[in-house]
Amino acid sequence: MDRAERTAAAAEARRVDPVLRRVSTAHVAALLRDWHLAGWTLADVRTALQVRPDGSPWPHTLTDPAGDVRHVPGWVRHRLASWRTDPTDPASAPALSPRQRATAAADAARAEHAQLQVELAAMAAAAVPPALAIPDWAELRARHSARLREARRRVVDAP
């Protein structure tokens, strides 16, 4: 993302977020620079400002966003810090965005599904009943189905 795109994203962020309206477009662009350069979209940044990496909402949800935040740059840095590869190091690179995490989870689920299909095809070709080839076959199948459903849910729920 080049400088003009980052500035346009900062202007849009200020337009949609009442807290960010309290600082200049250039300041918002500077605060979000690392995140945009790491491939984060404005939707990813807005999600990170609202929820933690584990999906839990930030405590003390703002009742009056424009008035409850005393220092906007500190508030933005604090909320985005937990999304860094090392949350204790402000110079560390941003981690995967919520969208990138959902995509990676879906890719992993697809790869796992493909691997399971290969294993099933190999067992069928060998004419070995699956119940004899893999102990706890029903449990393995149920776990795989649950992981696949969870990955699909994350892709659908991704911002």
Side-chain angles (χ1 to χ4, degrees):
M1 184 179 273
D2 67 7
R3 186 177 187 151
E5 290 172 326
R6 290 193 314 268
T7 302
E12 179 64 12
R14 288 186 71 234
R15 188 185 71 75
V16 298
D17 194 320
V19 174
L20 297 177
R21 285 185 201 137
R22 294 175 40 201
V23 295
S24 70
T25 301
H27 201 162
V28 172
L31 289 169
L32 304 181
R33 181 179 186 276
D34 288 347
W35 309 97
H36 287 289
L37 291 177
W40 285 47
T41 63
L42 181 55
D44 292 330
V45 171
R46 294 195 68 220
T47 299
L49 291 173
Q50 296 168 5
V51 298
R52 295 172 187 245
D54 64 3
S56 63
W58 280 99
H60 311 297
T61 303
L62 305 172
T63 55
D64 175 20
D68 287 349
V69 176
R70 291 184 187 162
H71 186 252
V72 175
W75 179 79
V76 170
R77 285 187 198 107
H78 170 72
R79 291 217 170 176
L80 292 178
S82 62
W83 289 87
R84 291 196 176 273
T85 51
D86 179 5
T88 61
D89 180 10
S92 68
L96 293 177
S97 72
R99 175 185 44 82
Q100 292 165 334
R101 287 177 186 216
T103 302
D107 291 346
R110 277 192 291 275
E112 185 177 342
H113 180 72
Q115 180 62 31
L116 183 60
Q117 295 296 1
V118 168
E119 291 172 10
L120 288 173
M123 282 187 278
V128 175
L132 297 176
I134 300 176
D136 300 325
W137 172 254
E139 178 188 343
L140 177 67
R141 184 97 176 158
R143 272 194 329 226
H144 173 69
S145 296
R147 282 186 287 207
L148 194 57
R149 278 193 306 274
E150 177 64 20
R152 285 183 183 141
R153 185 193 61 77
R154 280 183 276 178
V155 169
V156 170
D157 294 344

